[in-house]
Amino acid sequence: MTKTAKCVFLIVLLAVVSLNIAGQTRTTVERYAAGHQQEILAEFLSLLSIPNVASDKPNIRRNAEQLRQMLGQRGFAAEVLETDVNPLVYGDLRVPGAQRTILWYAHYDGQPFDPKLWKQDSPFKPILRDGRMEDGAKEIPNFASLKTVPPGARVYARSASDDKAPIIALLAAIDALRASGQKPKSNVRVILDGEEEASSAGLISSLPKYRDKYRADMMLVLDGPVHSSGKPTLVFGGRGIATLEFTVFGPKFALHSGHYGNWVPNPAMDLIQLLGSMKDENGRALVEGFYDDVPPFTPEEKRILASVPDDPAELMQFFGISRTDKVGANLQEALQYPSLNVRGLRSAYIGSEARTIIPESATASIDIRLVKETEPDRMIRRVLDHIRKQGFTIVDKPPDDSIRAKNPRIVTVSSGSGGATFAGTKAYRTAMNDPSSVEVTNVMERTWNEKPVRIRTMGGTVPMAPFAETFGFPIISVPVVNFDNNQHSENENLRLENLWKAIVTFAALLSM
Amino acid sequence: MTKTAKCVFLIVLLAVVSLNIAGQTRTTVERYAAGHQQEILAEFLSLLSIPNVASDKPNIRRNAEQLRQMLGQRGFAAEVLETDVNPLVYGDLRVPGAQRTILWYAHYDGQPFDPKLWKQDSPFKPILRDGRMEDGAKEIPNFASLKTVPPGARVYARSASDDKAPIIALLAAIDALRASGQKPKSNVRVILDGEEEASSAGLISSLPKYRDKYRADMMLVLDGPVHSSGKPTLVFGGRGIATLEFTVFGPKFALHSGHYGNWVPNPAMDLIQLLGSMKDENGRALVEGFYDDVPPFTPEEKRILASVPDDPAELMQFFGISRTDKVGANLQEALQYPSLNVRGLRSAYIGSEARTIIPESATASIDIRLVKETEPDRMIRRVLDHIRKQGFTIVDKPPDDSIRAKNPRIVTVSSGSGGATFAGTKAYRTAMNDPSSVEVTNVMERTWNEKPVRIRTMGGTVPMAPFAETFGFPIISVPVVNFDNNQHSENENLRLENLWKAIVTFAALLSM
């Protein structure tokens, strides 16, 4: 053989061996998951049964204690880390001879909910359906006793997808490796956030205190759904977020709309005109400088963004919409820009409670999604400047008579989360050609025999920017749950097939 | 004397005699009222003690029965008139030799209430305060035994002002005339509405059935407060009203604002842009043709409107506003135009309940006040046309998939009161130079030695248009209660000085 031929042979051999190893891991772990569905499910259901809204302190603590025990059972040095707010759960699993340490992140708190909207007794009494509820799937009674669940079955519960399933999958992956006499290749550090749905304040503020515990060579974030195509997915960045709440003030008390309509200004209409001035009919922000910090895409970036197999027609049909906002050429491009979203509106009453009044105030809650290039403070300043340019005076509390007497349009602006500052959560992004990015991509490709969908910046927010800034390590998200999981809404669910696959994915990443 | 001098002399003599007669009536009636405070108050308190929310059928009936008896005691042929809904109370008092018949209208039902907000045990356990509660006035205990009440005293109870005081005043006026050997000059027909605060449906639908009972030469409406200046007031018209509710639809279910913000359109923003297109920053409607039906004011009309002693600076300070809408040159002009008022807004959540979602829908409740020249149907059609011109498709129920697939902007429009039609309540207006208008104005001027405040069209709605259309008679409102009576709110009250004066006013009008 020539030297070249030898080289090619070795490369091919290496590739075949790697594929085999990945293939072997996959087969072994799949077999393990299939044979242990009942116990994996039992641990999952037990965790889902503990209410986990961030403000519910006693139950948050119950979640943390249970998770600490679950890590301890797998040989982690596990502890509950106290923060200013909700506790974190931390586990450290040292692997003799490991060349590096990977920090795995997930969160155990869940979104607030309206129990009336759930089609089950409680979001914390998980039920199993034999498919998607919206498609008419039926409840499977007494499913806890099933040895294997039907394909397509889904667990309905708060945090089934967001974000308790990944925790269960990671632990099951470790169990699966162990059961086949293997162990992780890198040291495993796990950090479980107890306040992600309420800004991760504890995680972020604890960074200086627990810096040594978080130190690692790479961070893998287990949160969010896979791409809508259902393909294996990797995410290299997340948008940041800032929330704002505006209250516009009208007369000191609600007035009879007959006696004063056409003379006393209506604060709901003032708010409408203020918000209306912020966006055009194509959904593009009109706030000055809103998109200025985002550089144009390179041809390579445009190519990668276009390579994501989004199916806009299918998505639009699924969502029941027949037009889209026009911020980018496609969904992926749109997500590389900051967004401005009216998430809630309230003034006086509607429906049978409506009264013929000029309301005394009107309130809007707003979220601004940020990208890596858009600093929260600068974006908030732009919005506040815009508000002032519309003739509004911004005050920090409901106006007294003298403020009212001097200012024709008055608005309070708060952070929208009760806080006094507008800190916001920064965006982050790991380069897709970083060596770790390439390695993780390759592991995924070998495990699933297809290139993963690569998302440059996902639309949602995970509070990873301070970690990127502190440690400089690459941060890559490995979402595993089904796309149609009703995350953040009522009837959240997990397609169990995604759980079984997540166990394989995590086992492969633990083995790299 | 020359013929001219004779004529001037006779006119002056006539004026002096008229003034004397009016002055005499005033003195006589004032003396009667002062001497009979205890018994007038006793009858008033007894009536106020019967709960009168329109939906409280048993108590509505108790009110009706008591009122029938009260009319009967004054010699009226009195009866309870059944309607589709709450009963009316009707009384007919024939005066031998009378040249005409006047129909007096008032209502005996009251606004619903929230007992927690009342600063007394119950809105139906009247209490007396020695002034205005908001100014720190104290309760006067055991006031039922007082022979005369202190000046400035107020009765606090539901319907003290709106609208039981005028009923008591009218009956006391008849008593006062009788006590001095006089009697009304015109036949007196009284109609007491049991459902005014809930749309007067019974009164209106009973028009064909009781047409002969309602027939008269003039209608006097006893409802509403006097002008804020406290001066004697006459009102010659009322605005009509139509209510609409718009719901704009977004995605079929609320979506994560991170994952889809910048791509899935936000229905709250669509609603904002729709409503924002309807008015300019000065509060003028931008709906095509909205003001077209209202002819310009004649110089005389402008003069009369400007003569109303509104104090805009004082009103603005009272309401805590520092700008006004610019629909007319002043408040009175503004009330001669239709108005478009956002009375309620709702989309998803605000405050601590806010969630980072793109809402699935957004709703606004609207009231459109109408004037005589603006037909409800035509105005509603203009608003619907405007909505369509903004690119919205109007549908009559939440859209299904096929509607969603075809229409980029979808809105349901309902009547806002649960009804399927947009009928609305028409406005009415009696010409201020109609002979009856002039006569009533003169009686008021002679009685109180000052020109009454003349309101061309008041802002609020009373359902008198069908009476004007059916009988063609002039309709004039004679409001008598204090301006600051907390009508429609908690702690409704009547300043008793207004009751004593109302007795004089009504005695004078009974004597014309």
Side-chain angles (χ1 to χ4, degrees), chain B residues 444-466:
Chain B
M444 289 291 277
E445 182 171 358
R446 287 200 304 266
T447 303
W448 296 110
N449 294 325
E450 61 178 327
K451 247 196 166 19
V453 174
R454 286 181 297 164
I455 306 288
R456 183 177 185 260
T457 304
M458 67 172 178
T461 301
V462 284
M464 295 306 144

Side-chain angles (χ1 to χ4, degrees), chain A residues 200-308:
Chain A
S200 294
L203 177 72
I204 304 307
S205 64
S206 75
L207 243 175
K209 190 171 168 189
Y210 300 124
R211 179 189 295 242
D212 286 340
K213 292 183 190 291
Y214 301 162
R215 206 175 291 282
D217 301 288
M218 183 195 303
M219 186 174 186
L220 294 178
V221 175
L222 314 186
D223 196 8
V226 295
H227 183 261
S228 60
S229 61
K231 289 177 189 288
T233 306
L234 292 173
V235 179
F236 296 88
R239 288 203 284 192
I241 189 170
T243 57
L244 293 175
E245 190 156 298
F246 310 144
T247 294
V248 171
F249 292 86
K252 281 159 76 172
F253 37 88
L255 291 175
H256 191 293
S257 68
H259 295 155
Y260 298 103
N262 273 0
W263 197 73
V264 170
N266 180 314
M269 188 51 80
D270 284 350
L271 177 69
I272 285 162
Q273 291 178 332
L274 175 61
L275 296 172
S277 73
M278 291 186 184
K279 294 189 89 169
D280 72 13
E281 59 173 29
N282 289 317
R284 286 187 62 86
L286 298 171
V287 172
E288 197 178 322
F290 200 79
Y291 302 117
D292 283 4
D293 300 331
V294 185
F297 304 121
T298 64
E300 170 68 3
E301 285 169 333
K302 266 192 115 59
R303 196 190 58 72
I304 292 176
L305 291 168
S307 77
V308 175

Side-chain angles (χ1 to χ4, degrees), chain B residues 75 85 113 134 148 168 203 210 285 333 361 368 384 399 413 486 511:
Chain B
V85 279
F113 59 92
E134 289 84 347
T148 57
I168 296 296
L203 176 72
Y210 300 124
E333 282 192 18
S361 67
I368 299 170
L384 300 184
V413 181
N486 294 340
S511 306

Side-chain angles (χ1 to χ4, degrees), chain B residues 193-359:
Chain B
D193 189 349
E195 200 146 9
E196 196 270 347
E197 302 294 3
S199 85
S200 293
L203 176 72
I204 304 307
S205 64
S206 74
L207 244 174
K209 190 170 168 191
Y210 300 124
R211 178 189 296 243
D212 287 342
K213 294 185 189 289
Y214 301 161
R215 206 177 290 282
D217 300 288
M218 182 194 309
M219 183 173 187
L220 295 178
V221 175
L222 314 186
D223 196 8
V226 295
H227 184 260
S228 59
S229 61
K231 289 175 187 290
T233 306
L234 292 174
V235 179
F236 295 88
R239 289 202 284 193
I241 189 170
T243 57
L244 292 175
E245 191 156 298
F246 310 144
T247 294
V248 172
F249 292 86
K252 281 160 75 172
F253 37 90
L255 291 176
H256 190 293
S257 68
H259 296 155
Y260 298 103
N262 273 1
W263 197 73
V264 170
N266 179 315
M269 186 51 78
D270 284 350
L271 177 68
I272 284 162
Q273 292 180 333
L274 176 60
L275 296 171
S277 73
M278 291 186 182
K279 293 188 91 168
D280 71 13
E281 57 173 30
N282 289 319
R284 286 185 63 85
L286 298 172
V287 172
E288 196 176 323
F290 199 79
Y291 304 117
D292 283 4
D293 300 331
V294 184
F297 303 122
T298 64
E300 169 70 0
E301 284 169 333
K302 264 192 115 58
R303 198 191 57 71
I304 292 176
L305 290 168
S307 75
V308 175
D310 292 325
D311 184 336
E314 190 182 65
L315 277 176
M316 288 169 77
Q317 190 182 17
F318 185 59
F319 296 149
I321 58 173
S322 64
R323 71 177 223 271
T324 65
D325 283 348
K326 304 270 183 300
V327 180
N330 51 48
L331 172 58
Q332 293 306 319
E333 282 192 18
L335 300 180
Q336 311 309 312
Y337 291 101
S339 67
L340 190 157
N341 178 58
V342 177
R343 59 180 185 164
L345 276 182
R346 193 75 33 124
S347 184
Y349 308 95
I350 62 160
S352 59
E353 295 183 327
R355 291 153 52 187
T356 51
I357 52 169
I358 299 170

